[in-house]
Every structure is written in C-alpha cells, then in structure tokens.
C-alpha cells in the first residue's frame, strides 16, 4: 500500500526556506564572516540537506555528508554507529538530520563534533518527535522544521529499509 501524505511538498519547501533564512541570519549575527560547516547525516537527510543548503544565503559554507545508522526496519537498535569526524578544529558547525526521535543520534554526533575540536555546534532537524525522547534532559535541536506525532514516516529522503525515499511528501506508512 502506498504511504499517505502527512506533510505535503509545498509545506516542506516553504518551511525549508524559512529554516535556511533563520540559519543565515543567526550566523551573520553571531559568527559574522566566519565559515559554516554543515554536516548532513546520511542517508535520511539527503533531500532535506540538498534543499536546505540552497536556501542558506552565506558565502562561506561547506557541506559534508556523514553516514550514521541506528534503525533497522521501523525499530531503533539503540546503538548509533558514527565514524570519527575530522577537519573541524576551530570550526562553527551545524549538524543536519532528517528526524529527531530518541535523541541518541544527535547526542552521539554532537559529542563527536565536540571531540573533533569544533568551536561551537548547533543542530537542525526537519522533523521532531518530542514524545519519543529517551530522557527528559536529552537533546533538542536548535532549528526544527515540524513537530510530528509518534508515527513512522517515510519520503523526502526518509526510508523504510531503503524504500520510499523518493516520495516528494513526508508520508505515513
Ligand atoms: P534517534 O537517534 O533520535 O532515535 O533517531 C534518529 C534517526 O532515526 C533518524 O536520523 C532517522 O534516520 C531514524 N528515524 C527515527 N524515526 C524515524 C521515522 O519515523 N522514519 C524514518 N524513516 N526514520 C526514522
Ligand atoms: Mg538518520
């Protein structure tokens, strides 16, 4: 059965442009003239990151893709596989992910970014499932596109075992 749309493509496009505008404005205000390194977590964030970078109006922006895995099917395995990061010493970093669920992925990656010597880091997720956080003090993101209920979503880069990434809308299975 084909997944049914939850967030239509027009709403995604509008919100992604807003996020890009906020990111550029905040960077100009707090880190004027400094480079921004955007780390997009693969594979789920590929559509979001591709659209987001094109709406961030900054001259000195570097986009890095970094593979991270925690899901098998529709279940989080509870362990996050994240390779070490390099080349971030003294850099201003923005971690970009598709969805904030338990919060383990973002916490793990932000810790790796800090270990790599970044001067500061913030985070941006397209979707947030706040009711799924493993503990109350757990990571939230600095930029959030949409808050969604506790349902498994696919499309706009998000998959179910590799399937449905190509759907233009965020959908529910
Ligand atoms: P966390 O570590 O916060 O539990 O999980 C974040 C990762 O789990 C996301 O980057 C994403 O890859 C995956 N994930 C969490 N919820 C969903 C969902 O509803 N659909 C899909 N396709 N992936 C999800
Ligand atoms: Mg992911």
């Amino acid at each position: 059965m084909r997944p049914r749309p939850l967030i239509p493509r027009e709403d995604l496009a509008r919100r992604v442009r807003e996020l890009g505008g906020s990111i550029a404005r905040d960077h100009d205000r707090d880190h004027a003239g400094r480079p921004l390194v955007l780390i997009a977590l693969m594979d789920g964030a590929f559509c979001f990151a591709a659209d987001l970078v094109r709406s961030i109006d900054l001259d000195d922006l570097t986009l890095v893709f970094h593979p991270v895995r925690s899901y098998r099917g529709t279940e989080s395995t509870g362990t996050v596989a994240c390779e070490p990061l390099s080349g971030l010493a003294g850099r201003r970093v923005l971690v970009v992910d598709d969805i904030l669920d338990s919060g383990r992925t973002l916490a793990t990656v932000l810790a790796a970014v800090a270990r790599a010597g970044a001067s500061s880091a913030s985070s941006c997720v397209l979707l947030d499932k706040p009711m799924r956080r493993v503990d109350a003090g757990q990571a939230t993101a600095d930029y959030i596109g949409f808050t969604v209920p506790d349902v498994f979503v696919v499309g706009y880069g998000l998959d179910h075992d590799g399937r449905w990434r190509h759907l233009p809308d965020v959908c529910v299975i």
Side-chain angles (χ1 to χ4, degrees):
M1 210 174 60
R2 208 181 164 87
R4 70 180 161 77
L6 178 69
I7 308 173
R9 62 202 80 178
E10 299 79 16
D11 294 3
L12 292 169
R14 182 182 37 77
R15 186 69 186 123
V16 171
R17 277 196 303 273
E18 288 173 2
L19 289 171
S22 302
I23 289 165
R25 254 195 322 278
D26 294 352
H27 187 83
D28 275 335
R29 188 192 57 216
D30 301 332
H31 310 275
R34 297 193 50 214
L36 176 65
V37 180
L38 203 144
I39 302 177
L41 305 186
M42 290 291 105
D43 298 321
F46 85 95
C47 282
F48 177 42
D51 286 340
L52 185 66
V53 286
R54 284 178 288 175
S55 57
I56 301 177
D57 186 14
L58 292 173
D59 289 338
D60 200 346
L61 186 147
T62 307
L63 174 60
V64 178
F65 294 104
H66 198 69
V68 176
R69 281 197 80 81
S70 65
Y71 261 64
R72 194 177 297 122
T74 59
E75 293 303 319
S76 175
T77 58
T79 54
V80 180
C82 173
E83 300 293 311
L85 287 151
S86 57
L88 299 180
R91 294 309 179 102
R92 164 78 190 154
V93 169
L94 179 70
V95 176
V96 174
D97 202 7
D98 49 3
I99 181 163
L100 184 56
D101 186 48
S102 70
R104 287 190 200 100
T105 299
L106 204 52
T108 303
V109 174
L110 286 169
V113 167
R115 272 198 302 279
S119 61
S120 66
S122 47
S123 55
C124 176
V125 295
L126 177 68
L127 307 173
D128 183 20
K129 287 185 194 168
M131 68 295 291
R132 294 266 303 169
R133 223 67 93 239
V134 282
D135 71 70
Q138 195 89 28
T140 182
D142 300 287
Y143 302 92
I144 293 170
F146 299 88
T147 299
V148 293
D150 186 12
V151 291
F152 194 79
V153 291
V154 295
Y156 194 64
L158 291 113
D159 73 310
H160 178 225
D161 281 340
R163 233 182 137 189
W164 304 120
R165 291 192 199 276
H166 64 298
L167 298 178
D169 311 306
V170 168
C171 298
V172 181
I173 297 189

CSV table of all heavy atoms in Angstrom, one decimal, residues 41-45 68-71 73-74 76 80 97-108 127 129 132-134 148-155 157-161 163 165 171, ligand 1:
chain,number,residue,atom,x,y,z
A,41,LEU,N,23.6,14.3,8.0
A,41,LEU,CA,23.7,12.9,8.4
A,41,LEU,C,23.0,12.0,7.3
A,41,LEU,O,21.8,12.2,7.0
A,41,LEU,CB,23.1,12.6,9.8
A,41,LEU,CG,23.7,13.5,10.9
A,41,LEU,CD1,23.1,13.2,12.2
A,41,LEU,CD2,25.2,13.4,10.9
A,42,MET,N,23.7,11.0,6.8
A,42,MET,CA,23.3,10.2,5.7
A,42,MET,C,22.7,8.9,6.3
A,42,MET,O,23.1,8.4,7.3
A,42,MET,CB,24.5,9.8,4.8
A,42,MET,CG,24.9,11.0,4.0
A,42,MET,SD,23.7,11.4,2.8
A,42,MET,CE,23.1,12.9,3.5
A,43,ASP,N,21.7,8.3,5.7
A,43,ASP,CA,21.3,8.7,4.3
A,43,ASP,C,20.0,9.6,4.4
A,43,ASP,O,19.7,10.3,3.5
A,43,ASP,CB,20.9,7.5,3.5
A,43,ASP,CG,22.1,6.6,3.3
A,43,ASP,OD1,23.2,7.1,3.1
A,43,ASP,OD2,22.0,5.3,3.3
A,44,GLY,N,19.3,9.6,5.6
A,44,GLY,CA,18.0,10.1,5.6
A,44,GLY,C,17.9,11.6,5.3
A,44,GLY,O,16.9,12.1,4.8
A,45,ALA,N,19.0,12.4,5.6
A,45,ALA,CA,18.9,13.8,5.5
A,45,ALA,C,19.3,14.3,4.1
A,45,ALA,O,19.4,15.5,3.9
A,45,ALA,CB,19.8,14.5,6.5
A,68,VAL,N,25.5,7.8,9.3
A,68,VAL,CA,25.1,7.4,10.7
A,68,VAL,C,24.0,6.4,10.6
A,68,VAL,O,23.1,6.6,9.8
A,68,VAL,CB,24.7,8.6,11.5
A,68,VAL,CG1,24.2,8.2,12.9
A,68,VAL,CG2,25.8,9.6,11.6
A,69,ARG,N,24.0,5.4,11.4
A,69,ARG,CA,22.9,4.4,11.3
A,69,ARG,C,22.5,4.0,12.7
A,69,ARG,O,23.3,3.7,13.6
A,69,ARG,CB,23.4,3.1,10.6
A,69,ARG,CG,23.4,3.2,9.1
A,69,ARG,CD,23.4,1.8,8.5
A,69,ARG,NE,22.1,1.2,8.5
A,69,ARG,CZ,21.2,1.5,7.6
A,69,ARG,NH1,21.4,2.4,6.6
A,69,ARG,NH2,20.0,0.9,7.6
A,70,SER,N,21.1,3.9,12.9
A,70,SER,CA,20.6,3.4,14.2
A,70,SER,C,19.4,2.5,14.0
A,70,SER,O,19.0,1.8,14.9
A,70,SER,CB,20.4,4.5,15.2
A,70,SER,OG,19.3,5.3,14.7
A,71,TYR,N,18.7,2.6,12.8
A,71,TYR,CA,17.4,2.0,12.6
A,71,TYR,C,17.6,0.7,11.8
A,71,TYR,O,18.4,0.6,10.9
A,71,TYR,CB,16.4,2.9,11.9
A,71,TYR,CG,15.5,3.5,12.9
A,71,TYR,CD1,16.0,4.4,13.8
A,71,TYR,CD2,14.1,3.3,12.9
A,71,TYR,CE1,15.1,5.0,14.7
A,71,TYR,CE2,13.3,3.9,13.8
A,71,TYR,CZ,13.8,4.7,14.7
A,71,TYR,OH,12.9,5.3,15.6
A,73,GLY,N,14.5,-1.5,10.0
A,73,GLY,CA,13.1,-1.5,9.8
A,73,GLY,C,12.5,-0.3,10.4
A,73,GLY,O,13.0,0.8,10.2
A,74,THR,N,11.5,-0.5,11.3
A,74,THR,CA,10.9,0.6,12.0
A,74,THR,C,11.3,0.7,13.4
A,74,THR,O,10.7,1.5,14.2
A,74,THR,CB,9.3,0.6,11.9
A,74,THR,OG1,8.9,-0.6,12.6
A,74,THR,CG2,8.8,0.6,10.5
A,76,SER,N,14.4,1.4,16.4
A,76,SER,CA,15.7,1.9,16.7
A,76,SER,C,16.5,0.8,17.4
A,76,SER,O,16.0,0.1,18.2
A,76,SER,CB,15.7,3.1,17.6
A,76,SER,OG,17.0,3.5,18.0
A,80,VAL,N,24.2,3.8,18.1
A,80,VAL,CA,24.4,4.7,17.0
A,80,VAL,C,25.8,4.5,16.4
A,80,VAL,O,26.7,4.6,17.2
A,80,VAL,CB,24.2,6.1,17.4
A,80,VAL,CG1,24.4,7.1,16.2
A,80,VAL,CG2,22.8,6.4,18.0
A,97,ASP,N,19.9,16.8,10.4
A,97,ASP,CA,19.4,15.4,10.3
A,97,ASP,C,17.9,15.5,9.9
A,97,ASP,O,17.3,16.5,10.0
A,97,ASP,CB,19.5,14.7,11.7
A,97,ASP,CG,19.5,13.2,11.5
A,97,ASP,OD1,19.5,12.7,10.4
A,97,ASP,OD2,19.5,12.5,12.5
A,98,ASP,N,17.4,14.3,9.5
A,98,ASP,CA,16.0,14.2,9.0
A,98,ASP,C,15.1,14.3,10.2
A,98,ASP,O,14.1,15.1,10.1
A,98,ASP,CB,15.8,13.0,8.2
A,98,ASP,CG,16.3,11.7,8.9
A,98,ASP,OD1,16.8,11.8,10.0
A,98,ASP,OD2,16.3,10.6,8.2
A,99,ILE,N,15.3,13.5,11.2
A,99,ILE,CA,14.3,13.4,12.3
A,99,ILE,C,14.9,13.2,13.6
A,99,ILE,O,15.9,12.4,13.7
A,99,ILE,CB,13.2,12.4,11.9
A,99,ILE,CG1,12.1,12.3,13.0
A,99,ILE,CG2,13.8,11.0,11.6
A,99,ILE,CD1,10.9,11.6,12.5
A,100,LEU,N,14.4,13.9,14.6
A,100,LEU,CA,14.9,13.7,16.0
A,100,LEU,C,13.9,12.8,16.7
A,100,LEU,O,12.7,13.2,16.9
A,100,LEU,CB,15.0,15.1,16.6
A,100,LEU,CG,15.5,15.2,18.0
A,100,LEU,CD1,16.9,14.6,18.2
A,100,LEU,CD2,15.6,16.7,18.5
A,101,ASP,N,14.4,11.6,17.1
A,101,ASP,CA,13.4,10.6,17.6
A,101,ASP,C,13.8,10.4,19.1
A,101,ASP,O,13.5,11.2,20.0
A,101,ASP,CB,13.6,9.4,16.7
A,101,ASP,CG,12.6,8.3,17.1
A,101,ASP,OD1,11.4,8.5,17.2
A,101,ASP,OD2,13.1,7.1,17.2
A,102,SER,N,14.6,9.3,19.4
A,102,SER,CA,15.1,9.1,20.8
A,102,SER,C,16.0,10.2,21.2
A,102,SER,O,16.2,10.5,22.4
A,102,SER,CB,15.8,7.8,20.9
A,102,SER,OG,17.0,7.8,20.2
A,103,GLY,N,16.7,10.8,20.3
A,103,GLY,CA,17.7,11.8,20.6
A,103,GLY,C,19.1,11.3,20.6
A,103,GLY,O,20.1,12.0,20.7
A,104,ARG,N,19.3,10.0,20.5
A,104,ARG,CA,20.6,9.3,20.6
A,104,ARG,C,21.5,9.7,19.5
A,104,ARG,O,22.7,10.0,19.7
A,104,ARG,CB,20.5,7.8,20.6
A,104,ARG,CG,19.9,7.3,21.9
A,104,ARG,CD,20.1,5.7,22.0
A,104,ARG,NE,19.1,5.2,22.9
A,104,ARG,CZ,18.0,4.6,22.6
A,104,ARG,NH1,17.6,4.6,21.3
A,104,ARG,NH2,17.2,4.1,23.5
A,105,THR,N,21.0,9.8,18.2
A,105,THR,CA,21.8,10.1,17.1
A,105,THR,C,22.4,11.5,17.2
A,105,THR,O,23.7,11.6,17.1
A,105,THR,CB,21.0,10.0,15.8
A,105,THR,OG1,20.5,8.7,15.6
A,105,THR,CG2,21.8,10.4,14.6
A,106,LEU,N,21.6,12.5,17.5
A,106,LEU,CA,22.1,13.8,17.6
A,106,LEU,C,23.1,14.0,18.8
A,106,LEU,O,24.1,14.6,18.6
A,106,LEU,CB,20.9,14.8,17.8
A,106,LEU,CG,21.1,16.2,17.3
A,106,LEU,CD1,21.6,16.3,15.9
A,106,LEU,CD2,19.8,17.0,17.4
A,107,ALA,N,22.8,13.3,19.9
A,107,ALA,CA,23.7,13.4,21.1
A,107,ALA,C,25.0,12.8,20.7
A,107,ALA,O,26.1,13.4,21.0
A,107,ALA,CB,23.1,12.7,22.3
A,108,THR,N,25.0,11.7,20.0
A,108,THR,CA,26.3,11.0,19.6
A,108,THR,C,27.1,11.8,18.7
A,108,THR,O,28.3,12.0,18.8
A,108,THR,CB,25.9,9.6,19.0
A,108,THR,OG1,25.2,8.9,19.9
A,108,THR,CG2,27.2,8.9,18.6
A,127,LEU,N,12.2,17.1,11.2
A,127,LEU,CA,11.1,16.6,11.9
A,127,LEU,C,11.5,16.3,13.4
A,127,LEU,O,12.6,15.9,13.6
A,127,LEU,CB,10.5,15.4,11.3
A,127,LEU,CG,10.2,15.4,9.8
A,127,LEU,CD1,9.8,14.0,9.3
A,127,LEU,CD2,9.1,16.4,9.6
A,129,LYS,N,10.0,14.3,16.9
A,129,LYS,CA,9.0,13.5,17.7
A,129,LYS,C,9.3,13.6,19.2
A,129,LYS,O,10.0,12.8,19.7
A,129,LYS,CB,9.1,12.0,17.3
A,129,LYS,CG,8.7,11.6,15.9
A,129,LYS,CD,8.8,10.1,15.8
A,129,LYS,CE,8.7,9.6,14.4
A,129,LYS,NZ,9.1,8.2,14.4
A,132,ARG,N,9.2,10.9,22.0
A,132,ARG,CA,10.0,9.7,21.9
A,132,ARG,C,11.3,9.9,22.6
A,132,ARG,O,12.1,8.9,22.6
A,132,ARG,CB,10.2,9.4,20.4
A,132,ARG,CG,9.0,9.0,19.7
A,132,ARG,CD,8.8,7.6,19.6
A,132,ARG,NE,10.0,6.9,19.0
A,132,ARG,CZ,10.2,5.6,19.1
A,132,ARG,NH1,9.3,4.8,19.7
A,132,ARG,NH2,11.2,5.1,18.5
A,133,ARG,N,11.6,11.0,23.1
A,133,ARG,CA,12.9,11.3,23.7
A,133,ARG,C,13.2,10.3,24.9
A,133,ARG,O,12.3,10.1,25.7
A,133,ARG,CB,13.0,12.7,24.2
A,133,ARG,CG,14.4,13.3,23.9
A,133,ARG,CD,14.6,13.5,22.4
A,133,ARG,NE,14.2,14.9,22.0
A,133,ARG,CZ,13.4,15.1,21.0
A,133,ARG,NH1,12.8,14.1,20.4
A,133,ARG,NH2,13.1,16.3,20.7
A,134,VAL,N,14.4,9.7,24.9
A,134,VAL,CA,14.7,8.6,25.9
A,134,VAL,C,14.7,9.2,27.4
A,134,VAL,O,14.4,8.5,28.3
A,134,VAL,CB,15.9,7.8,25.6
A,134,VAL,CG1,15.6,6.8,24.6
A,134,VAL,CG2,17.1,8.6,25.2
A,148,VAL,N,6.1,16.2,14.7
A,148,VAL,CA,5.2,15.2,14.2
A,148,VAL,C,4.8,14.2,15.4
A,148,VAL,O,5.5,14.1,16.3
A,148,VAL,CB,5.8,14.4,13.1
A,148,VAL,CG1,6.0,15.2,11.8
A,148,VAL,CG2,7.1,13.7,13.5
A,149,PRO,N,3.6,13.6,15.2
A,149,PRO,CA,3.2,12.6,16.2
A,149,PRO,C,4.1,11.3,16.2
A,149,PRO,O,4.9,11.2,15.3
A,149,PRO,CB,1.7,12.3,15.9
A,149,PRO,CG,1.6,12.6,14.4
A,149,PRO,CD,2.6,13.7,14.2
A,150,ASP,N,3.9,10.4,17.1
A,150,ASP,CA,4.7,9.2,17.1
A,150,ASP,C,4.2,8.2,16.1
A,150,ASP,O,3.6,7.2,16.4
A,150,ASP,CB,4.6,8.6,18.6
A,150,ASP,CG,5.6,7.4,18.7
A,150,ASP,OD1,6.4,7.2,17.8
A,150,ASP,OD2,5.4,6.7,19.7
A,151,VAL,N,4.5,8.5,14.8
A,151,VAL,CA,4.2,7.6,13.7
A,151,VAL,C,5.5,7.4,12.9
A,151,VAL,O,6.4,8.3,13.0
A,151,VAL,CB,3.1,8.2,12.8
A,151,VAL,CG1,1.8,8.2,13.5
A,151,VAL,CG2,3.5,9.6,12.3
A,152,PHE,N,5.6,6.3,12.2
A,152,PHE,CA,6.8,6.1,11.4
A,152,PHE,C,6.6,6.7,10.0
A,152,PHE,O,5.7,6.4,9.3
A,152,PHE,CB,7.1,4.6,11.2
A,152,PHE,CG,8.5,4.4,10.7
A,152,PHE,CD1,9.6,4.4,11.5
A,152,PHE,CD2,8.7,4.1,9.3
A,152,PHE,CE1,10.9,4.2,11.0
A,152,PHE,CE2,10.0,3.9,8.8
A,152,PHE,CZ,11.1,4.0,9.7
A,153,VAL,N,7.5,7.7,9.7
A,153,VAL,CA,7.3,8.5,8.5
A,153,VAL,C,8.4,8.1,7.4
A,153,VAL,O,9.5,7.6,7.8
A,153,VAL,CB,7.4,10.0,8.8
A,153,VAL,CG1,6.2,10.5,9.5
A,153,VAL,CG2,8.7,10.4,9.5
A,154,VAL,N,8.0,8.2,6.2
A,154,VAL,CA,8.9,8.0,5.1
A,154,VAL,C,8.7,9.1,4.0
A,154,VAL,O,7.8,9.9,4.2
A,154,VAL,CB,8.6,6.6,4.4
A,154,VAL,CG1,8.8,5.4,5.3
A,154,VAL,CG2,7.2,6.6,3.8
A,155,GLY,N,9.6,9.1,3.0
A,155,GLY,CA,9.5,10.1,2.0
A,155,GLY,C,10.4,11.3,2.2
A,155,GLY,O,10.9,11.5,3.3
A,157,GLY,N,13.4,11.6,1.5
A,157,GLY,CA,14.7,11.1,2.0
A,157,GLY,C,14.6,10.1,3.0
A,157,GLY,O,15.5,9.2,3.2
A,158,LEU,N,13.5,10.0,3.8
A,158,LEU,CA,13.3,9.0,4.8
A,158,LEU,C,12.9,7.7,4.2
A,158,LEU,O,12.0,7.7,3.4
A,158,LEU,CB,12.4,9.5,5.9
A,158,LEU,CG,12.8,10.7,6.7
A,158,LEU,CD1,12.0,11.9,6.5
A,158,LEU,CD2,12.8,10.3,8.2
A,159,ASP,N,13.4,6.6,4.8
A,159,ASP,CA,13.1,5.3,4.2
A,159,ASP,C,12.5,4.3,5.2
A,159,ASP,O,12.5,4.6,6.4
A,159,ASP,CB,14.4,4.7,3.7
A,159,ASP,CG,15.3,4.2,4.9
A,159,ASP,OD1,15.5,5.0,5.8
A,159,ASP,OD2,15.7,3.0,4.9
A,160,HIS,N,12.0,3.2,4.6
A,160,HIS,CA,11.7,2.0,5.4
A,160,HIS,C,12.5,0.9,4.8
A,160,HIS,O,12.1,0.5,3.7
A,160,HIS,CB,10.2,1.7,5.5
A,160,HIS,CG,9.9,0.5,6.2
A,160,HIS,ND1,9.0,-0.4,5.8
A,160,HIS,CD2,10.3,0.1,7.4
A,160,HIS,CE1,8.9,-1.4,6.6
A,160,HIS,NE2,9.7,-1.2,7.6
A,161,ASP,N,13.6,0.5,5.4
A,161,ASP,CA,14.6,-0.5,4.8
A,161,ASP,C,14.9,-0.1,3.4
A,161,ASP,O,14.9,-1.0,2.5
A,161,ASP,CB,14.0,-1.9,4.9
A,161,ASP,CG,14.1,-2.5,6.3
A,161,ASP,OD1,15.0,-2.0,7.1
A,161,ASP,OD2,13.4,-3.4,6.7
A,163,ARG,N,13.4,1.7,1.2
A,163,ARG,CA,12.3,2.1,0.3
A,163,ARG,C,11.6,3.4,0.7
A,163,ARG,O,11.7,3.9,1.8
A,163,ARG,CB,11.2,1.0,0.5
A,163,ARG,CG,10.8,0.4,-0.8
A,163,ARG,CD,9.7,-0.6,-0.6
A,163,ARG,NE,8.7,-0.4,-1.7
A,163,ARG,CZ,7.5,-1.1,-1.7
A,163,ARG,NH1,7.2,-1.9,-0.7
A,163,ARG,NH2,6.6,-0.9,-2.6
A,165,ARG,N,12.2,6.5,-0.1
A,165,ARG,CA,13.0,7.8,0.0
A,165,ARG,C,12.6,8.8,-1.1
A,165,ARG,O,12.7,10.0,-0.9
A,165,ARG,CB,14.5,7.6,-0.1
A,165,ARG,CG,15.1,6.8,1.0
A,165,ARG,CD,16.6,6.9,0.9
A,165,ARG,NE,17.3,5.9,1.7
A,165,ARG,CZ,17.6,5.9,3.0
A,165,ARG,NH1,17.2,7.0,3.6
A,165,ARG,NH2,18.2,5.0,3.6
A,171,CYS,N,5.4,11.1,4.4
A,171,CYS,CA,4.2,10.3,4.4
A,171,CYS,C,4.2,9.3,5.6
A,171,CYS,O,5.3,9.1,6.2
A,171,CYS,CB,4.2,9.4,3.1
A,171,CYS,SG,4.1,10.4,1.6
B,1,LIG,P1,17.3,8.8,17.2
B,1,LIG,O1,18.7,8.5,17.3
B,1,LIG,O2,16.9,10.3,17.5
B,1,LIG,O3,16.4,7.8,17.9
B,1,LIG,O4,16.9,8.5,15.7
B,1,LIG,C1,17.2,9.4,14.7
B,1,LIG,C2,17.3,8.6,13.4
B,1,LIG,O5,16.3,7.5,13.4
B,1,LIG,C3,16.9,9.5,12.3
B,1,LIG,O6,18.1,10.1,11.8
B,1,LIG,C4,16.2,8.5,11.3
B,1,LIG,O7,17.2,8.0,10.5
B,1,LIG,C5,15.7,7.4,12.2
B,1,LIG,N1,14.2,7.6,12.4
B,1,LIG,C6,13.6,7.9,13.5
B,1,LIG,N2,12.3,8.0,13.4
B,1,LIG,C7,12.0,7.7,12.1
B,1,LIG,C8,10.8,7.6,11.3
B,1,LIG,O8,9.7,7.8,11.7
B,1,LIG,N3,11.0,7.3,10.0
B,1,LIG,C9,12.3,7.0,9.4
B,1,LIG,N4,12.3,6.7,8.1
B,1,LIG,N5,13.4,7.1,10.1
B,1,LIG,C10,13.3,7.4,11.4
